[in-house]
Amino acid sequence: MTVTSDLLTPGRLRRVRALDWQDVDALSPELTALLEELAADGAWLGSALENLRHTPELRDLSERLAELDKLVLVNDADSGVRIRLHRFRQGYFDRPHNHRFTFGTRILRGGYRHTVYGDHIEITPDFDVSQVRPTLIRRESAGGGYVIGHTLVHSVAAEPETLTLTVRGPAQKDRMLIVDREQGTSWWQYGVQQEDPADVALRRLTDDQLTETERLLREQGLIPG
């Protein structure tokens, strides 16, 4: 189902559907400009959160993980694009991983330590975890952002209550790589379509959890009071 008509103006929807997810060079300036525009539009963000509260299709896609909330604000089935708000709660960090999709991010509040390990396009059964070594470590701060391709391996360690806006493209593969460098192991994680629906339901955001995030956004002046 496409859940966009009430949230994206025709002009924004055309821009979303025109994004070239196969060419990061061409994608980066267009996606960066769109993210900057959406992040600065507090009225739009507030409306998107209210729409999420009352839209079962978006609620089913949103989830609360151990220290991370993923709120799906827009799901455009025609293009495979989703716009998400991420709330990194207390103590969030992750292992090196790539993604099933290319995406762009804009930091709204807080920040994190961002470690890049390089591009790993083909992962074979004899993949050597020792190949995954940091090539860039930087701090990502409010007002900044980036666009990365789905083959890039990275990790983040976020400050409490960091908020980011993310626009992700259509899935370009059915699994992502996760690496545990300390244990010298790696494994695949698949999309939600291949998970047990009962497990997915346990991660579904509650009304109270949505209210927590809305309150945080209002306190930071990111949506109208």
Side-chain angles (χ1 to χ4, degrees), residues 132-170:
V132 181
R133 297 185 295 271
T135 57
L136 174 68
I137 300 175
R138 55 172 285 156
R139 173 177 164 72
E140 308 290 355
S141 303
Y146 52 88
V147 175
I148 66 174
H150 65 97
T151 57
L152 188 74
V153 176
H154 73 148
S155 65
V156 304
E159 298 171 3
E161 302 297 5
T162 290
L163 297 167
T164 67
L165 191 65
T166 294
V167 178
R168 54 147 285 189

Side-chain angles (χ1 to χ4, degrees), residues 17-29:
R17 292 178 175 173
L19 293 169
D20 183 357
W21 297 97
Q22 303 299 324
D23 185 345
V24 175
D25 280 342
L27 173 69
S28 182

Side-chain angles (χ1 to χ4, degrees), residues 3 47-59 204 207 210 214:
V3 187
S47 296
L49 287 166
E50 184 63 22
N51 183 70
L52 167 60
R53 183 180 292 276
H54 301 292
T55 306
E57 294 87 353
L58 296 177
R59 292 290 292 270
R204 194 172 187 266
D207 286 343
L210 282 172
E214 289 174 337

Side-chain angles (χ1 to χ4, degrees), residues 16 19-39 44 71 73-74 80-86 88 99-108 112 114 140-141 143-152 154 156 163-170 172:
V16 163
L19 293 169
D20 183 357
W21 297 97
Q22 303 299 324
D23 185 345
V24 175
D25 280 342
L27 173 69
S28 182
E30 299 296 330
L31 184 51
T32 298
L34 177 64
L35 279 162
E36 290 176 353
E37 182 180 309
L38 293 174
W44 174 83
L71 286 69
L73 306 179
V74 170
V81 172
R82 292 180 185 171
I83 302 177
R84 305 194 305 207
L85 177 73
H86 290 177
F88 297 85
H99 290 267
R100 295 185 302 113
F101 43 78
T102 294
F103 71 95
T105 288
R106 176 86 172 178
I107 296 96
L108 305 178
Y112 49 78
H114 189 190
E140 308 290 355
S141 303
Y146 52 88
V147 175
I148 66 174
H150 65 97
T151 57
L152 188 74
H154 73 148
V156 304
L163 297 167
T164 67
L165 191 65
T166 294
V167 178
R168 54 147 285 189
Q172 293 175 264

Side-chain angles (χ1 to χ4, degrees), residues 60 63 190-204:
D60 288 344
E63 58 184 349
Y190 291 81
V192 69
Q193 295 84 358
Q194 300 187 47
E195 292 189 76
D196 185 333
D199 292 335
V200 175
L202 290 174
R203 302 198 301 266
R204 194 172 187 266

